[in-house]
Amino acid sequence: MDFRLTPRQVGLKAKARELTDFVAKYEQDCEENNGLPREAHEAVRDAVLESGLQAVNMPAEWGGAGLTILEQAVVQEELGRLTGALWDMVWRPANALRFCTEEQRERYLVPVIKGQRRDCYAVTEPGAGSDPQNLATTATRTDGGWLINGEKWFVTVGDHADFMILLAAAGEEKAPTLFLVDKDTPGIEMTRVPRFMHTFVYEHPEFTFTDVFVPEDAVLGGLGNGYDITRSWFTEERLMIAARTIGAAERGLELARDWAVRREQFGQPISSFQLVQGMLADSAADIAVHRAYTHQVAWEADQPDTDRKTLHAKAAIAKLSASEASGRVIDRCVQIFGGRGYDRSYAVERLYRELRVDRIWEGTSEIQRLIIAGELVKRGTGVLQLPVES
């Protein structure tokens, strides 16, 4: 087995680090002002387009970067170093947009790839979070299209996006279906913009939909396919969360190591204290192990003969274990920094707040455990095995 990065992957990693370093100069501004001004968004958009790392998950023939899942993980790992969730400014269109018709692609996806539009995913509801099948939002047939009624919460980037990918129960059959909905359509109201524990360059608003009319061609991916498309998106997104949390943890460890070497107490650097050394060592082990596993599963995702159900469970393992390990790492880093680790002007403090949500969104840690256990119970321990060369 060869675990070395290829020259192409090394180049992508370097390009992503260069872009990360550019975007990082906006971290303090984002933290102090709970977001960034328009000119900052435009400067980052231009830098992303110049880097060629826009839409890394979309084919090159559509204008995307056309990266494999493993290559995307390498890029996301670098972007995960950013605080303020500035990594989200390097846009990855929702995977569901791969299911666009040709007309939908030209209207929605291609402008997103070019940085001219932005999508958001409206799935969660007051009564449908970890269980999206408990949908209350409905789409009712009407002349020429559908009327959508309901409520959506935690619509990440909902303040900045200009259209939504919305999951609703369609027709009398309540078929779970995705719809492309322009945000300025009459009947859509942004009712609340919650303030969360972390600082995020975008918001996560709540929306209501009252008799929102969308034409027949607003259906994305066919009637009744909403869950399957969303589940496929979750598999890749959970791998990207694993990669980003690893990048965040590594930045935290770098900062904590440098601090421990410089910071003196009792006449010596605190890096000479064995309890501090133990925290550094445990953090290095957490990062190394979870990076290796995330890269392995990302590589498996690129193989055409990989069993998709097993892959879904392995992505759950990666997301669960990496997000929880990274939380432990950053907790140690804050401890090493002492009082300064509690200061919002220090990156370790911001990472401490921001990494907490990675154990909640795109499926809580508890949901990941249920997915993994379900695979074990139904199909045995194959989820733990390395793939075999055919």
Side-chain angles (χ1 to χ4, degrees), residues 4-259:
R4 294 173 296 180
L5 295 181
T6 65
R8 172 177 164 83
Q9 291 163 356
V10 170
L12 287 167
K13 183 179 178 69
K15 190 181 295 186
R17 174 61 72 89
E18 182 179 356
L19 180 59
T20 296
D21 290 343
F22 173 84
V23 179
K25 67 183 182 181
Y26 295 101
E27 286 184 331
Q28 286 288 349
D29 189 16
C30 183
E31 174 63 30
E32 293 171 6
N33 298 294
N34 193 45
L36 293 173
R38 179 176 178 178
E39 55 268 23
H41 281 275
E42 291 174 351
V44 172
R45 179 201 62 203
D46 293 345
V48 173
L49 291 170
E50 184 178 350
S51 75
L53 293 177
Q54 78 281 3
V56 293
N57 58 332
M58 291 295 160
E61 57 265 30
W62 295 348
L67 304 191
T68 66
I69 302 299
L70 177 54
E71 289 169 345
Q72 291 178 48
V74 169
V75 168
Q76 292 296 311
E77 191 175 304
E78 293 300 317
L79 296 176
R81 299 171 63 89
L82 292 163
T83 66
L86 294 174
W87 45 263
D88 207 14
M89 299 180 82
V90 186
W91 60 92
R92 293 171 63 247
N95 287 345
L97 292 174
R98 296 175 186 167
F99 294 86
C100 282
T101 64
E102 186 173 348
E103 188 278 331
Q104 289 173 335
R105 187 186 308 141
E106 292 303 312
R107 181 178 174 186
Y108 292 101
L109 178 55
V110 171
V112 172
I113 291 172
K114 292 179 177 179
Q116 299 165 350
R117 301 194 72 176
R118 188 68 192 262
D119 60 297
C120 60
Y121 219 119
V123 176
T124 304
E125 299 179 1
S130 294
D131 178 16
Q133 298 188 63
N134 193 28
L135 276 178
T137 298
T138 60
T140 305
R141 283 195 180 276
T142 188
D143 290 342
W146 302 83
L147 287 177
I148 296 175
N149 287 276
E151 185 175 5
K152 294 293 182 181
W153 286 15
F154 307 130
V155 183
T156 302
V157 197
D159 60 321
H160 194 80
D162 66 334
F163 74 94
M164 301 176 173
I165 302 164
L166 180 144
L167 182 64
E172 294 181 1
E173 303 81 7
K174 305 295 183 184
T177 302
L178 294 174
F179 293 86
L180 293 167
V181 184
D182 291 311
K183 206 172 75 175
D184 60 1
T185 304
I188 298 177
E189 181 182 359
M190 186 187 299
T191 53
R192 181 171 174 257
V193 181
R195 289 302 307 276
F196 291 102
M197 186 167 78
H198 65 197
T199 299
F200 204 106
V201 68
Y202 302 117
E203 301 286 3
H204 316 264
E206 298 170 6
F207 290 89
T208 58
F209 304 84
T210 305
D211 289 335
V212 175
F213 174 79
V214 294
E216 189 66 43
D217 62 6
V219 173
L220 176 64
L223 286 175
N225 295 325
Y227 287 145
D228 289 340
I229 293 172
T230 301
R231 189 179 299 113
S232 173
W233 170 70
F234 274 142
T235 298
E236 291 188 21
E237 189 57 34
R238 286 165 182 166
L239 281 172
M240 298 308 131
I241 289 173
R244 286 197 301 269
T245 58
I246 292 162
E250 184 167 44
R251 182 185 181 191
L253 179 57
E254 289 172 4
L255 293 169
R257 178 267 173 199
D258 292 348
W259 176 260

Side-chain angles (χ1 to χ4, degrees), residues 339-350:
R340 288 174 178 82
Y342 217 61
D343 183 335
R344 290 193 177 203
S345 64
Y346 285 76
V348 292
E349 188 279 339
R350 300 194 297 273

